[in-house]
Amino acid sequence: MTVIDGDLIVTGALTAGNVFHTVVRVTPEPGVPTMVEVTGVTLRGRGTVRAQATAHTSVPGIRVVEVAVAALSPTGCQVWIHRTNSVETNVSVLMWREP
């Protein structure tokens, strides 16, 4: 494991063509994982597509049980959220692909 203490400097071929960010609004079913498709993405590159999701909530860990990204491809993904209630939730999704 590498620990970075301080500023992170990215070098190499990182461009707007291989980084994508969006916010999706999900209205979950209480107590059941709920999925929303993200489509229309065009990630360039040949490397593995990676992603990270973060739920925007004022009380993390209590009502949001888990948020995840699955079925990654250069053209989209699935965003999953599991909440204990049905409050509509914004989820930030960041996708990237190595050149």
Side-chain angles (χ1 to χ4, degrees):
M1 181 170 93
T2 302
V3 177
I4 298 172
D5 185 17
D7 295 333
L8 174 63
I9 300 172
V10 178
T11 60
L14 183 65
T15 68
N18 57 11
V19 176
F20 173 80
H21 176 265
T22 190
V23 176
V24 294
R25 184 165 278 232
V26 184
T27 304
E29 184 177 337
V32 177
T34 306
M35 187 267 296
V36 171
E37 290 273 348
V38 174
T39 59
V41 179
T42 307
L43 287 177
R44 296 185 207 142
R46 296 186 199 141
T48 304
V49 177
R50 305 204 186 269
Q52 179 177 353
T54 304
H56 299 254
T57 179
S58 60
V59 190
I62 293 176
R63 291 186 174 84
V64 175
V65 178
E66 186 174 356
V67 63
V69 183
L72 298 171
S73 79
T75 60
C77 65
Q78 296 175 347
V79 176
W80 289 85
I81 187 168
H82 183 182
R83 284 193 69 118
T84 59
N85 60 19
S86 61
V87 172
E88 197 170 52
T89 306
N90 288 338
V91 178
S92 287
V93 179
L94 178 65
M95 297 176 68
W96 66 94
R97 188 175 192 189
E98 297 299 323

